[in-house]
Amino acid sequence: MHLGLYLESREIQCAELTDEHIGDLTALPDLLDQVEDPVAQFLGDGAYDGEQCRISLASRFEDVEIIIPPPKAATPSTQTETNPTRTDKNILSIQANDRMAWQQRTGYDHRSREETLIGCGKKVIGPQSNLESLTNGFT
């Protein structure tokens, strides 16, 4: 289950049920197609880290602020000195301070509210539910 929420209102703005072989980046275009309102900020987990995700978001939403942490084991690219990517800048910021400081400085720490909402939803659905059982219940 892939969800997009507005953190302030706690409303689900987009949702996609897929099988376990469909990752976040693959599901992202269909999720974005469901969003009608402008998006000022995108908070995504490390699975969204990558240039293609940033390009997709920037092409759909004007001036969107994209906040995605780099993987914990990430290292700066070879172009960091001359042409650093957003990921390079995030890695350097985390190395200079720490991950928690980066989260607070960028606002990524607000994402914990989204994770709490998703956790509540999973409790309602139940631990044994899966895509097949969910889709078999709907016609």
Side-chain angles (χ1 to χ4, degrees), residues 28-132:
L28 184 62
D30 289 337
L31 290 167
L32 296 179
D33 286 345
Q34 298 173 38
V35 178
E36 296 176 6
D37 296 329
V39 173
Q41 187 179 67
F42 176 89
L43 300 171
D45 65 24
Y48 291 99
D49 185 46
E51 200 58 30
Q52 189 55 47
C53 175
R54 293 178 190 283
I55 290 168
S56 293
L57 290 163
S59 69
R60 291 177 189 246
F61 306 112
E62 187 175 327
D63 297 324
V64 63
E65 179 184 18
I66 302 168
I67 304 172
I68 302 169
K72 291 185 179 179
T75 58
S77 71
T78 57
Q79 65 192 35
T80 300
E81 294 289 325
T82 57
N83 188 22
T85 65
R86 170 56 33 204
T87 298
D88 290 332
K89 292 175 184 177
N90 288 336
I91 292 168
L92 294 173
S93 176
I94 290 167
Q95 288 176 346
N97 301 294
D98 65 23
R99 189 167 286 269
M100 293 302 289
W102 176 85
Q103 289 179 0
Q104 291 175 342
R105 186 179 50 72
T106 61
Y108 186 79
D109 57 337
H110 295 290
R111 192 174 166 277
S112 64
R113 286 190 288 174
E114 180 180 333
E115 289 297 330
T116 299
L117 290 172
I118 291 169
C120 291
K122 287 179 179 179
K123 283 189 176 197
V124 169
I125 293 170
Q128 300 302 314
S129 296
N130 61 36
L131 179 60
E132 184 177 335

Side-chain angles (χ1 to χ4, degrees), residues 1 17-20 125-138:
M1 181 182 301
L17 285 174
T18 64
D19 67 31
E20 69 271 9
I125 293 170
Q128 300 302 314
S129 296
N130 61 36
L131 179 60
E132 184 177 335
S133 65
L134 287 173
T135 56
N136 286 339
F138 299 100

